[in-house]
Every structure is written in structure tokens, then in C-alpha cells.
Amino acid sequence: MNRKSLHTLLLATLVIMLFTGCPKPALVDDIATLRDAGDYHGKWIGAAVDPSKFAESAYDTTLKTEFSMVVAENVMKMDTLQPNKDSFNFTPGDSIVAYATANTMALRGHALLWHSQLPTWIKSEPYANLPDLLLTHIDTVLTHYKGKMHSWDVVNEVVMDDGSGLRNNNEDIATSNYSIWADSATDDSLITEAFYKARTADPDAILIINDYSNETMGNAKADKLYSLVAGWINDGVPIDGVGFQLHLMEKYTPDYAAIRANINRYIALKPGFEVHFTEIDVRIEEPATEAKLANQAAIYSHLMDIALDYPEVTVYITWGVTDKYSWIPGFFTGYGSALIFDDLYEPKPAHDALLDMLQ
Ligand code: XIL
């Protein structure tokens, strides 16, 4: 067939399709859930979960319909996983794995080296014992979940809030500068060993260093974390990506340009380096008015806009499924309504703005 008759044939087919109402190929704006829209763009849309809520029908339906990834909000932290020395409790974590498998969802692991939610017994161990105890913990947990985890937060919140160094055991125990896992503000030995151990125990998991207030370039803490990660990567430490927790406040508009600049410098560190948005919530000072909910929606959708511009941003997780169980009111007095589904599991403006952005 020559080119002219091919054109005529194509044109005729198009005209026939138009007039016969032949079904159009699926368009992204026909996709009705965040989960499906995220799949379309190759983004994991996740939620932090509490397995004791799986039996609640609205929780279950919302979670498996709208999200493609889950992370344990609490039950894969050390206090739950190793409540007594050398005695592991995988039961609640395993129920999350079973849920994800049954609903074809991906899993993130959270968190291995972290100063908080530690079992009591480890706090009285001398520093000299900690390397073995931490590495055994990592090895046991990653071996147990081997092949099931998309990624692990191997290291969580190690930089002090003022960016001056690593949280460590010389700081005042009553402050957020204290951690059992370092012996000084520059002692990164356990951090790097944690990554090597995690890589050996589960070579397929993406290994992440996660933190809060680390998303904007130009902020002292963010810049400190970046320079530490750059140094570790340079030394060959197996770190595959950075997690931005993104516990934000509705009343402060994020500096989106500074977030983009920060992502740019991280992804330049090595090919394949990923950025995960790991714990997003946008808390509102009560009462939540329509205007505040609209601001919140704009923040959620701007973050998705950024995610869509970077193939390296593969994960977009909200820290909970519903406002009904969000950690925010318990931790930040006077604040709430931080998630994208309300107390009754109704989608909020933030949910609809996210769906619009993905469409
Ligand atoms: C929070 C949980 O949401 C709460 O239920 C728990 O009581 C305390 O921890 N950064 C993190 C998360 O990395 O693990 C924290 O999760 C929130 C801040």
C-alpha cells in the first residue's frame, strides 16, 4: 500500500471511530483512585499502617483501594521487634506483610537505627556492646523479611536539629540531641556499618537514610545531612536514597524551589539514587476551616507535582490512612486534620487535589 492510500485508510478509520462511539483508549483522567493513578505514573502511593486496624472495614477498603504501598507506623521499630534481648516478635509485622501480599501492595521497612522507640533493655547496655547488638538486630530483621521489602529506612533522624552534628550519647538525654547510637557528634561508625549489614542481609532492598526538616536546600540540618551522605557515598557506603519525612504545617508554605534544588543535588550523587517522600502529613491548627483545607490540598499537590517531575522520586507516602488515627493530635497540641481522608474516611480536598494532579 502506498503512503497516500495508507493515509486515506487511517483517516477513514478515525472518522468511523468518531461516529460509531468506539471506546477510546483509557485516559489517565478516567482513573478514579490514587493507587491506579500512581501506577500509571510509576509512583508508589503509600500509607503508614497499624495492623490492628485492618479488621475495620472502612480502613481496609480505603487502604487497599487508594494506596499501593504500606509501611508499619510502629510495629517494625526496635521496641516491638526485639522487646527483650535476643527475643524477636515478628507477629504484627508479619500481618502487614500478609496484608500487602493479599492486596498486591509493596512494603517499606521502618526503622532500624533510630534513637526513639527503643526497648528498655538496650538503654542500659554499655556503648561497647551496641555495634554487635544493632548489627544482629538488622541481620535478623532483614533476613526475616528478605525478598519482601521494597526499601528500608536503615537510618532514621541521626542529625541534630541545628545541623551541628550527629545526635549522640554525650548530649543531654532530655533533649532531641541525644542518641545511644553515636559516641560523639562526628561518630558515624554505626551508621555506615548499619548500611553495610543491611546490604548483605537483603541485597535487593533499597537502603534509605530518612529524616525530617531535611527537604530544603539551604537549611542547616538539610545541608548537614546532604554533606554527610555525599561523603558516605564517596566512601562507597551502600546508601541508595534519602527519605524526606515531610511532616509539614499548613500555615507555612514550603519552599518548593529549595526542595527541587535539594533533590537535584542528591540525584547527582550517583546514578539511580532515589528520593522517597516517606511520612507526609500537613497538620492544621484547629479548627480546620475550608481555607486551611484548601491550603493543605495545595501543599499535598505541589509535592506530587515535584514527584512527577523526577523519576528518582519513586515513593509518596502519607503518615497514616485517616485523620481518625493520625499521630498528630497526640503529639502536637492544638493541631490535627493532617491527612487526606477525614475521620469518617471521606476524601478531603487534599485527596482530590492529588488525584487531579496525577490526572
Ligand atoms: C510516630 C508514630 O506515628 C506514633 O504512633 C508513635 O507514637 C511515635 O512515632 N518520625 C518517624 C516516625 O520516623 O516513626 C514517627 O512515627 C513520626 C516521626
Side-chain angles (χ1 to χ4, degrees), residues 107-170:
L107 280 151
R108 287 188 97 258
H110 173 84
L112 299 166
L113 186 165
W114 191 31
H115 62 277
S116 187
Q117 291 179 274
L118 291 169
T120 313
W121 63 268
I122 205 165
K123 296 182 203 165
S124 47
E125 292 285 338
Y127 189 74
N129 293 354
L130 291 184
D132 277 354
L133 291 167
L134 177 74
L135 299 178
T136 301
H137 181 80
I138 292 176
D139 191 41
T140 308
V141 172
L142 268 65
T143 302
H144 181 84
Y145 289 119
K146 190 172 151 84
K148 308 223 161 79
M149 291 293 179
H150 166 273
S151 43
W152 268 103
D153 291 331
V154 177
V155 166
N156 195 32
E157 302 182 348
V158 287
V159 176
M160 289 198 262
D161 289 335
D162 66 3
S164 60
L166 297 168
R167 293 172 196 238
N168 65 81
N169 60 17
N170 291 306

Side-chain angles (χ1 to χ4, degrees), residues 18-260:
L18 265 177
F19 284 100
T20 54
C22 171
K24 285 177 285 177
L27 290 174
V28 68
D29 55 22
D30 293 332
I31 297 178
T33 68
L34 297 180
R35 177 179 183 157
D36 289 345
D39 283 352
Y40 180 91
H41 290 284
K43 305 288 174 197
W44 296 109
I45 309 292
V49 299
D50 171 357
S52 74
K53 304 294 186 297
F54 290 159
E56 186 180 328
S57 139
Y59 188 95
D60 167 51
T61 306
T62 307
L63 178 58
K64 68 190 181 202
T65 308
E66 296 281 350
F67 299 92
S68 52
M69 176 178 260
V70 283
V71 56
E73 182 172 358
N74 287 300
V75 302
M76 292 194 193
K77 294 170 179 174
M78 198 177 194
D79 57 353
T80 301
L81 282 179
Q82 199 180 161
N84 299 296
K85 193 171 179 175
D86 297 328
S87 156
F88 286 80
N89 170 25
F90 290 114
T91 308
D94 288 356
S95 66
I96 297 182
V97 176
Y99 186 91
T101 309
N103 296 296
T104 353
M105 300 165 97
L107 280 151
R108 287 188 97 258
H110 173 84
L112 299 166
L113 186 165
W114 191 31
H115 62 277
S116 187
Q117 291 179 274
L118 291 169
T120 313
W121 63 268
I122 205 165
K123 296 182 203 165
S124 47
E125 292 285 338
Y127 189 74
N129 293 354
L130 291 184
D132 277 354
L133 291 167
L134 177 74
L135 299 178
T136 301
H137 181 80
I138 292 176
D139 191 41
T140 308
V141 172
L142 268 65
T143 302
H144 181 84
Y145 289 119
K146 190 172 151 84
K148 308 223 161 79
M149 291 293 179
H150 166 273
S151 43
W152 268 103
D153 291 331
V154 177
V155 166
N156 195 32
E157 302 182 348
V158 287
V159 176
M160 289 198 262
D161 289 335
D162 66 3
S164 60
L166 297 168
R167 293 172 196 238
N168 65 81
N169 60 17
N170 291 306
E171 297 290 329
D172 181 350
I173 197 161
T175 70
S176 67
N177 291 336
Y178 183 85
S179 166
I180 65 168
W181 300 118
D183 213 10
S184 74
T186 55
D187 172 22
D188 63 359
S189 54
L190 280 187
I191 294 173
T192 56
E193 283 184 64
F195 279 106
Y196 283 110
K197 180 56 84 180
R199 174 67 94 231
T200 311
D202 185 355
D204 295 328
I206 297 166
L207 306 182
I208 297 291
I209 183 159
N210 193 46
D211 215 322
Y212 63 88
S213 301
N214 63 337
E215 68 274 10
T216 49
M217 187 162 118
N219 156 295
K221 178 172 174 177
D223 290 350
K224 179 67 179 180
L225 183 69
Y226 168 77
S227 66
L228 287 168
V229 172
W232 293 325
I233 300 271
N234 195 44
D235 294 342
V237 179
I239 304 179
D240 303 316
V242 65
F244 298 166
Q245 293 184 3
L246 295 160
H247 294 292
L248 302 175
M249 293 168 88
E250 169 274 326
K251 64 174 132 183
Y252 303 125
T253 305
D255 184 344
Y256 300 114
I259 297 177
R260 287 174 184 273

Side-chain angles (χ1 to χ4, degrees), residues 1-15:
M1 193 185 300
N2 65 30
R3 203 194 296 195
K4 193 169 169 209
S5 38
L6 185 65
H7 272 147
T8 316
L9 182 67
L10 279 176
L11 199 67
T13 314
L14 264 175
V15 170

